[in-house]
Amino acid sequence: MSLIVQKYGGTSVRDIERIRAVATRAAATRAAGNEVVVVVSAMSGETSRLLALAQELTPEPDQRECDVLASSGEQVTSALLAIALRSGGCPATSFQGHQIRIATDSAFGRARIKSIDTARIRAALADGQVVVVPGFQGVDPGGNVTTLGRGGSDTSAVALAAALEAAACEILTDVDGVYTSDPRICPRARKIDRISYDEMLELASLGTKVLQIRSVEFAKRYHVPIHVRSSFNDTQGTWVVEEESSMEDVEVSGVASDREAKVTVHRVPDQPGLAAAIFGPIADANISVDMIIQNVSADGMTDMTFTVPRSDLAQALRIVRATADTIGAGHVDATETVAKVSIVGLGMRSHAGVAARMFRTLADHRINIQMISTSEIKISIVIDDKFEELAVRALSDALVGTREEPA
Ligand code: ADP
Ligand code: ASP
Ligand code: MG
């Protein structure tokens, strides 16, 4: 008998008919002789709808109360699924995050899971129940409801799979698996059969929202195999697993993209400590700075350009403008119209020339590169966001899936 954690995303539980279909699938998995824990998202659109209501009241709503509000979406679907399972004759119980103690820190809206007490789940499983858990939520040391950030139900599911030492964590969604690029942007994208944790970590952090990055971090740390697949059919999806030797043969496994904002601080005195002065306060505000470029000029002044998530731009600008005044820098300007496009692949470790081909492909499409950053298995470029989809398609067609030619 295996223990399987199944997570159903928003479109998979979008209405009563879909919730019935999910109940049928979970009950069938149990009938096949498995122990089953089901993690559910809110109905699609519900989390955004709830958070928009708070925004209607005030532009900066209280974060603790926003978590109480947002977590209700998953509470609804978990109860409905347990009702559907029971009405179909399958014993089932739902447990909220605070009932089983999915313990998190107190960072409302972006909390991190610290531990999960599995005793109550194990007892219910031993009693033959399907256990239903709302994703996206936990409880902090003060007993407050917390949420894990958008897409956080993936992380709930993988963390539960790790804590329960499940055989696998199935992420059931509205696509057949992880594709070489977003199938909505790139109709020629192909499903990947197996991908390493490291490549999936890069793709998730670079904008591939099919898995929340923290879920992949958990999976890698606790060796949980993830199976991303469709909840609408039975075809095999994508296995996210430990690296296998053949995976390095493919130079570029996937292309990801994300919209960002770019900030430039002009005429920064070129002295030790000034980068720390600029980026320290931004980090203190929990804003993650992505790419940074420093252009040194001849007269002892430098320009500093960096990117941040668009949602953090207003706050980042406020902070940087205040710093610029105190360190005697020039003016600060920003644009919201940039996109970061990245290629990812284990094969980049051992193959030279991928960057050159990436830049050539962009040049052929007359796309200007504003910033570049590389690491062992990825190359990212920042471009004008009106070229985002064109760049994703062009790079997919030119680079993805090419294999090393035998010598
Ligand atoms: P869920 O609601 O099930 O959590 P998400 O919307 O979070 O689903 O993730 C699935 C979506 O991710 C797909 O509909 C797809 O458009 C998008 N996506 C982006 N990049 C990729 C990719 N490389 N492979 C598969 N899906 C991707
Ligand atoms: N409902 C939450 C969201 O929309 C969490 C999730 O679906 O994973 O972000
Ligand atoms: Mg999701």
Side-chain angles (χ1 to χ4, degrees):
M1 190 196 299
S2 301
L3 197 164
I4 311 254
V5 175
Q6 294 185 327
K7 176 259 172 178
Y8 293 90
T11 24
S12 304
V13 292
R14 69 178 167 223
D15 53 31
I16 291 300
E17 190 192 331
R18 285 301 310 162
I19 289 175
R20 268 210 195 94
V22 165
T24 304
R25 187 166 184 143
T29 309
R30 174 179 172 274
N34 302 293
E35 293 183 310
V36 183
V37 175
V38 184
V39 175
V40 281
S41 284
M43 293 181 180
S44 66
E46 181 65 5
T47 309
S48 300
R49 188 187 74 84
L50 292 167
L51 292 172
L53 290 176
Q55 286 283 334
E56 270 185 49
L57 287 168
T58 166
E60 288 189 25
D62 182 83
Q63 290 184 321
R64 177 189 184 277
E65 300 308 330
C66 280
D67 279 14
V68 176
L69 176 69
S71 66
S72 69
E74 271 74 7
Q75 182 159 355
V76 168
T77 44
S78 61
L80 287 173
L81 179 61
I83 291 168
L85 281 160
R86 284 173 172 253
S87 72
C90 176
T93 308
S94 73
F95 293 116
Q96 304 302 296
H98 60 89
Q99 291 175 310
I100 44 174
R101 285 209 81 76
I102 298 182
T104 72
D105 60 21
S106 300
F108 296 116
R110 53 177 84 174
R112 285 178 176 269
I113 296 177
K114 297 289 178 200
S115 63
I116 298 179
D117 182 352
T118 54
R120 221 164 153 185
I121 299 179
R122 286 200 191 280
L125 289 173
D127 186 38
Q129 310 268 331
V130 167
V131 172
V132 184
V133 179
F136 184 50
Q137 58 171 272
V139 59
D140 81 352
N144 303 296
V145 175
T146 54
T147 65
L148 310 180
R150 299 306 303 266
S153 298
D154 298 330
T155 302
S156 310
V158 178
L160 274 164
L164 290 161
E165 295 171 352
C169 182
E170 287 191 328
I171 301 287
L172 293 129
T173 181
D174 58 359
V175 267
D176 284 352
V178 180
Y179 279 67
T180 48
S181 55
D182 188 343
R184 284 186 218 177
I185 296 180
C186 201
R188 283 188 295 274
R190 292 185 314 275
K191 189 177 75 189
I192 300 168
D193 292 331
R194 298 173 81 76
I195 189 167
S196 68
Y197 292 125
D198 285 331
E199 286 169 301
M200 197 63 234
L201 269 178
E202 290 284 6
L203 287 172
S205 77
L206 296 167
T208 301
K209 300 208 171 60
V210 66
L211 286 175
Q212 197 198 39
I213 181 164
R214 282 189 202 154
S215 70
V216 191
E217 288 168 0
F218 265 105
K220 180 179 170 170
R221 189 170 342 136
Y222 297 103
H223 311 285
V224 179
I226 300 181
H227 188 187
V228 181
R229 61 192 308 193
S230 172
S231 70
F232 295 80
N233 61 49
D234 283 327
T235 48
Q236 281 283 310
T238 301
W239 282 92
V240 186
V241 291
E242 310 281 353
E243 185 176 334
E244 296 160 358
S245 58
S246 64
M247 286 177 175
E248 262 204 8
D249 295 350
V250 179
E251 292 183 321
V252 178
S253 304
V255 180
S257 70
D258 210 357
R259 300 194 153 200
E260 298 200 329
K262 190 176 81 171
V263 179
T264 301
V265 191
H266 295 273
R267 297 193 65 74
V268 180
D270 198 5
Q271 290 162 8
L274 285 179
I278 292 175
F279 295 111
I282 304 179
D284 292 344
N286 247 322
I287 297 174
S288 52
V289 170
D290 188 16
M291 280 193 221
I292 303 176
I293 288 186
Q294 180 177 339
N295 296 307
V296 183
S297 63
D299 60 352
M301 294 290 186
T302 166
D303 287 353
M304 199 86 89
T305 301
F306 59 91
T307 60
V308 289
R310 269 191 201 174
S311 52
D312 292 332
L313 176 62
Q315 199 190 353
L317 263 182
R318 264 203 311 274
I319 295 169
V320 174
R321 288 204 164 115
T323 311
D325 283 347
T326 57
I327 62 174
H331 73 286
V332 179
D333 58 36
T335 167
E336 275 200 290
T337 57
V338 293
K340 180 174 63 177
V341 180
S342 311
I343 59 174
V344 172
L346 290 178
M348 278 189 228
R349 285 185 200 141
S350 46
H351 297 83
V354 184
R357 274 187 284 137
M358 180 185 198
F359 303 152
R360 168 61 31 218
T361 304
L362 295 163
D364 289 346
H365 289 80
R366 307 201 62 73
I367 299 172
N368 188 45
I369 301 171
Q370 301 178 14
M371 303 170 93
I372 301 170
S373 94
T374 66
S375 71
E376 199 187 24
I377 64 164
K378 74 121 204 276
I379 305 171
S380 297
I381 47 117
V382 169
I383 58 174
D384 189 317
D385 68 359
K386 64 173 181 274
F387 298 122
E388 178 184 1
E389 298 199 352
L390 175 63
V392 170
R393 278 194 289 269
L395 294 171
S396 292
D397 289 346
L399 300 179
V400 169
T402 51
R403 279 178 179 272
E404 184 178 19
E405 294 300 329

PDB file of all heavy atoms in Angstrom, residues 95 99-100 117-125 131:
ATOM      1  N   PHE A  95      -9.411  18.519   7.371  1.00  0.00           N
ATOM      2  CA  PHE A  95      -8.756  19.166   8.514  1.00  0.00           C
ATOM      3  C   PHE A  95      -8.197  20.501   8.064  1.00  0.00           C
ATOM      4  O   PHE A  95      -7.449  20.549   7.078  1.00  0.00           O
ATOM      5  CB  PHE A  95      -7.587  18.321   9.033  1.00  0.00           C
ATOM      6  CG  PHE A  95      -7.997  17.017   9.656  1.00  0.00           C
ATOM      7  CD1 PHE A  95      -7.612  15.821   9.081  1.00  0.00           C
ATOM      8  CD2 PHE A  95      -8.754  16.989  10.811  1.00  0.00           C
ATOM      9  CE1 PHE A  95      -7.972  14.608   9.648  1.00  0.00           C
ATOM     10  CE2 PHE A  95      -9.128  15.771  11.387  1.00  0.00           C
ATOM     11  CZ  PHE A  95      -8.740  14.582  10.801  1.00  0.00           C
ATOM     12  N   GLN A  99      -5.977  22.818  12.572  1.00  0.00           N
ATOM     13  CA  GLN A  99      -6.390  21.588  13.261  1.00  0.00           C
ATOM     14  C   GLN A  99      -5.291  20.522  13.231  1.00  0.00           C
ATOM     15  O   GLN A  99      -5.164  19.740  14.169  1.00  0.00           O
ATOM     16  CB  GLN A  99      -7.669  21.032  12.615  1.00  0.00           C
ATOM     17  CG  GLN A  99      -8.885  21.914  12.868  1.00  0.00           C
ATOM     18  CD  GLN A  99     -10.113  21.419  12.130  1.00  0.00           C
ATOM     19  OE1 GLN A  99     -10.071  21.146  10.931  1.00  0.00           O
ATOM     20  NE2 GLN A  99     -11.212  21.294  12.846  1.00  0.00           N
ATOM     21  N   ILE A 100      -4.525  20.512  12.128  1.00  0.00           N
ATOM     22  CA  ILE A 100      -3.429  19.531  12.098  1.00  0.00           C
ATOM     23  C   ILE A 100      -2.100  20.200  12.404  1.00  0.00           C
ATOM     24  O   ILE A 100      -1.054  19.573  12.361  1.00  0.00           O
ATOM     25  CB  ILE A 100      -3.342  18.829  10.715  1.00  0.00           C
ATOM     26  CG1 ILE A 100      -3.489  19.841   9.592  1.00  0.00           C
ATOM     27  CG2 ILE A 100      -4.342  17.721  10.604  1.00  0.00           C
ATOM     28  CD1 ILE A 100      -3.272  19.243   8.239  1.00  0.00           C
ATOM     29  N   ASP A 117       2.399  18.543  12.027  1.00  0.00           N
ATOM     30  CA  ASP A 117       2.115  17.464  12.970  1.00  0.00           C
ATOM     31  C   ASP A 117       1.211  16.464  12.240  1.00  0.00           C
ATOM     32  O   ASP A 117       0.072  16.775  11.915  1.00  0.00           O
ATOM     33  CB  ASP A 117       1.407  18.056  14.191  1.00  0.00           C
ATOM     34  CG  ASP A 117       1.134  16.995  15.234  1.00  0.00           C
ATOM     35  OD1 ASP A 117       1.350  15.793  14.941  1.00  0.00           O
ATOM     36  OD2 ASP A 117       0.699  17.357  16.336  1.00  0.00           O
ATOM     37  N   THR A 118       1.740  15.274  11.981  1.00  0.00           N
ATOM     38  CA  THR A 118       0.992  14.343  11.129  1.00  0.00           C
ATOM     39  C   THR A 118       0.108  13.364  11.903  1.00  0.00           C
ATOM     40  O   THR A 118      -0.580  12.541  11.294  1.00  0.00           O
ATOM     41  CB  THR A 118       1.970  13.513  10.262  1.00  0.00           C
ATOM     42  OG1 THR A 118       2.916  12.887  11.122  1.00  0.00           O
ATOM     43  CG2 THR A 118       2.692  14.390   9.260  1.00  0.00           C
ATOM     44  N   ALA A 119       0.084  13.472  13.254  1.00  0.00           N
ATOM     45  CA  ALA A 119      -0.594  12.439  14.062  1.00  0.00           C
ATOM     46  C   ALA A 119      -2.065  12.279  13.665  1.00  0.00           C
ATOM     47  O   ALA A 119      -2.553  11.162  13.454  1.00  0.00           O
ATOM     48  CB  ALA A 119      -0.463  12.788  15.545  1.00  0.00           C
ATOM     49  N   ARG A 120      -2.756  13.425  13.527  1.00  0.00           N
ATOM     50  CA  ARG A 120      -4.184  13.344  13.253  1.00  0.00           C
ATOM     51  C   ARG A 120      -4.462  12.795  11.849  1.00  0.00           C
ATOM     52  O   ARG A 120      -5.432  12.057  11.628  1.00  0.00           O
ATOM     53  CB  ARG A 120      -4.780  14.755  13.385  1.00  0.00           C
ATOM     54  CG  ARG A 120      -6.097  14.709  14.079  1.00  0.00           C
ATOM     55  CD  ARG A 120      -6.537  16.040  14.563  1.00  0.00           C
ATOM     56  NE  ARG A 120      -7.988  16.015  14.617  1.00  0.00           N
ATOM     57  CZ  ARG A 120      -8.740  17.048  14.913  1.00  0.00           C
ATOM     58  NH1 ARG A 120      -8.183  18.212  15.189  1.00  0.00           N
ATOM     59  NH2 ARG A 120     -10.050  16.930  14.956  1.00  0.00           N
ATOM     60  N   ILE A 121      -3.601  13.164  10.921  1.00  0.00           N
ATOM     61  CA  ILE A 121      -3.768  12.649   9.553  1.00  0.00           C
ATOM     62  C   ILE A 121      -3.535  11.139   9.545  1.00  0.00           C
ATOM     63  O   ILE A 121      -4.314  10.374   8.970  1.00  0.00           O
ATOM     64  CB  ILE A 121      -2.763  13.318   8.585  1.00  0.00           C
ATOM     65  CG1 ILE A 121      -2.995  14.821   8.541  1.00  0.00           C
ATOM     66  CG2 ILE A 121      -2.858  12.703   7.199  1.00  0.00           C
ATOM     67  CD1 ILE A 121      -2.040  15.575   7.622  1.00  0.00           C
ATOM     68  N   ARG A 122      -2.466  10.722  10.224  1.00  0.00           N
ATOM     69  CA  ARG A 122      -2.147   9.281  10.227  1.00  0.00           C
ATOM     70  C   ARG A 122      -3.278   8.470  10.866  1.00  0.00           C
ATOM     71  O   ARG A 122      -3.629   7.387  10.384  1.00  0.00           O
ATOM     72  CB  ARG A 122      -0.840   9.028  10.972  1.00  0.00           C
ATOM     73  CG  ARG A 122       0.388   9.463  10.173  1.00  0.00           C
ATOM     74  CD  ARG A 122       1.645   8.782  10.697  1.00  0.00           C
ATOM     75  NE  ARG A 122       2.844   9.363  10.126  1.00  0.00           N
ATOM     76  CZ  ARG A 122       3.311   9.079   8.905  1.00  0.00           C
ATOM     77  NH1 ARG A 122       2.692   8.200   8.144  1.00  0.00           N
ATOM     78  NH2 ARG A 122       4.412   9.659   8.456  1.00  0.00           N
ATOM     79  N   ALA A 123      -3.852   9.029  11.928  1.00  0.00           N
ATOM     80  CA  ALA A 123      -4.952   8.308  12.587  1.00  0.00           C
ATOM     81  C   ALA A 123      -6.141   8.178  11.646  1.00  0.00           C
ATOM     82  O   ALA A 123      -6.761   7.107  11.542  1.00  0.00           O
ATOM     83  CB  ALA A 123      -5.352   9.045  13.872  1.00  0.00           C
ATOM     84  N   ALA A 124      -6.452   9.258  10.930  1.00  0.00           N
ATOM     85  CA  ALA A 124      -7.595   9.211  10.003  1.00  0.00           C
ATOM     86  C   ALA A 124      -7.318   8.239   8.853  1.00  0.00           C
ATOM     87  O   ALA A 124      -8.211   7.496   8.421  1.00  0.00           O
ATOM     88  CB  ALA A 124      -7.895  10.610   9.469  1.00  0.00           C
ATOM     89  N   LEU A 125      -6.061   8.240   8.358  1.00  0.00           N
ATOM     90  CA  LEU A 125      -5.709   7.301   7.275  1.00  0.00           C
ATOM     91  C   LEU A 125      -5.844   5.861   7.769  1.00  0.00           C
ATOM     92  O   LEU A 125      -6.372   4.992   7.069  1.00  0.00           O
ATOM     93  CB  LEU A 125      -4.283   7.558   6.789  1.00  0.00           C
ATOM     94  CG  LEU A 125      -4.033   8.854   5.995  1.00  0.00           C
ATOM     95  CD1 LEU A 125      -2.533   9.049   5.743  1.00  0.00           C
ATOM     96  CD2 LEU A 125      -4.800   8.844   4.665  1.00  0.00           C
ATOM     97  N   VAL A 131      -8.084  11.855   3.555  1.00  0.00           N
ATOM     98  CA  VAL A 131      -7.909  13.095   4.321  1.00  0.00           C
ATOM     99  C   VAL A 131      -7.839  14.273   3.355  1.00  0.00           C
ATOM    100  O   VAL A 131      -7.066  14.240   2.393  1.00  0.00           O
ATOM    101  CB  VAL A 131      -6.628  13.025   5.181  1.00  0.00           C
ATOM    102  CG1 VAL A 131      -6.322  14.374   5.828  1.00  0.00           C
ATOM    103  CG2 VAL A 131      -6.779  11.945   6.254  1.00  0.00           C
TER     104      VAL A 131
END
